[in-house]
Amino acid sequence: MVEFIKGSRKLYDIQSMTQILNINKSKIQRELKSIDGEIVKYKNLHLHPEKTLFSLMERILIEKLEKSNDKF
């Protein structure tokens, strides 16, 4: 996992997000398009702030909870 720190902000690349959230890259890319969060370009990498990662965590958690409720 790679974590970039720029000033007081933590930035994550998509590969790190896939490891943290344990979902595939294409799902993260689809969710990132719908969020329209800030993107920082650094040495051929597209980095996203920690706030974006937390938004993704929230969406995925809600989605998984809804799926588990549908089963019962």
Side-chain angles (χ1 to χ4, degrees):
M1 182 174 82
V2 180
E3 180 180 305
F4 297 91
I5 299 176
K6 183 178 181 182
S8 62
R9 297 175 18 182
K10 291 182 182 177
L11 303 170
Y12 297 92
D13 64 339
I14 291 179
Q15 184 64 36
S16 299
M17 288 185 201
T18 58
Q19 292 174 351
I20 293 169
L21 300 173
N22 197 24
I23 59 174
N24 57 16
K25 183 179 175 180
S26 61
K27 172 113 174 132
I28 288 179
Q29 289 175 331
R30 282 193 305 268
E31 293 292 332
L32 286 173
K33 283 183 183 179
S34 66
I35 290 177
D36 286 334
E38 177 187 356
I39 299 173
V40 177
K41 293 182 181 179
Y42 175 76
K43 290 188 178 180
N44 202 21
L45 288 174
H46 296 275
L47 305 174
H48 302 274
E50 195 170 34
K51 181 180 176 183
T52 304
L53 177 64
F54 291 146
S55 296
L56 284 174
M57 284 179 178
E58 180 182 21
R59 284 177 177 233
I60 292 167
L61 177 65
I62 291 170
E63 181 181 308
K64 287 185 179 184
L65 288 173
E66 287 174 352
K67 283 183 181 179
S68 68
N69 285 337
D70 289 343
K71 291 181 181 178
F72 294 111

